Amino acid sequence: MYHISSRKYRLSVCHLKPFGNGHLNCTILDKEMNAPLLKLMIESVAYGGMGVARHNDLVHFVPATLSGETVLAAVTERKKNYIIAEVREIITPSPERITPRCPYSQRCGGCSYLHMNYAEQLRIKHDQVYNTLARLGKIKDPPIAAVVPSPQCFD
């Protein structure tokens, strides 16, 4: 096994035999947690603000991510049917991503949508209500009114 170190990650080349495509089998490990880093493409945002990705036939929930983003994430919790992972690096950020005004937004847990612009927050909340009624309520094409934006948003 070979290790190539950097300040952020440790690259472990586990198999020196190339695969049919000429690539080596290697795994990037997070230095802090010594956990494998996964390159995930965020497909959507679930209720509560966690990004949803699929990898190896399992759903991965990744806090503070947006649809369309590609991230490197470390697994922090494994459940029977899903995994929770934590972002280590955003490879491709969403154009909707902003820097939250509140410095505690990702630590206190009360503002799980502040990393996206306000228009995106409203769109995601509308979609979440629609999807909940359609999927759980079994209502075909539920009639959802437009979300009324606050005149005093904390964006």
Side-chain angles (χ1 to χ4, degrees):
M1 183 180 328
Y2 293 107
H3 294 288
I4 302 167
S5 295
S6 74
R7 284 191 285 174
K8 287 186 182 179
Y9 312 115
R10 186 175 75 213
L11 177 66
S12 299
V13 180
C14 303
H15 301 31
L16 296 177
K17 182 176 162 186
F19 291 108
N21 59 8
H23 296 282
L24 294 175
N25 181 15
C26 57
T27 304
I28 299 173
L29 297 177
D30 183 343
K31 270 193 161 183
E32 291 176 25
M33 300 179 67
N34 204 27
L37 286 177
L38 304 173
K39 185 176 181 181
L40 300 173
M41 172 69 167
I42 306 301
E43 300 170 6
S44 62
V45 177
Y47 179 77
M50 287 196 185
V52 178
R54 285 170 176 57
H55 180 72
N56 290 341
D57 297 324
L58 272 176
V59 172
H60 290 61
F61 292 105
V62 188
T65 56
L66 294 166
S67 298
E69 290 187 326
T70 303
V71 300
L72 278 179
V75 173
T76 57
E77 200 172 334
R78 292 180 190 273
K79 300 291 186 177
K80 182 179 178 182
N81 297 320
Y82 65 92
I83 289 176
I84 297 178
E86 189 175 277
V87 172
R88 291 290 183 248
E89 182 179 334
I90 299 173
I91 298 168
T92 309
S94 166
E96 313 304 330
R97 177 170 288 282
I98 61 170
T99 301
R101 281 182 39 199
C102 177
Y104 306 106
S105 68
Q106 296 306 314
R107 286 186 268 161
C108 79
C111 305
S112 53
Y113 295 96
L114 282 185
H115 61 284
M116 61 188 85
N117 66 45
Y118 191 57
E120 183 68 0
Q121 291 179 35
L122 297 178
R123 187 193 68 74
I124 286 174
K125 290 174 183 179
H126 179 275
D127 289 352
Q128 289 172 346
V129 170
Y130 181 92
N131 291 332
T132 299
L133 290 172
R135 193 178 68 245
L136 299 177
K138 308 235 186 286
I139 299 171
K140 185 178 178 180
D141 197 23
I144 306 294
V147 177
V148 178
S150 171
Q152 300 174 346
C153 70
F154 184 74
D155 195 18

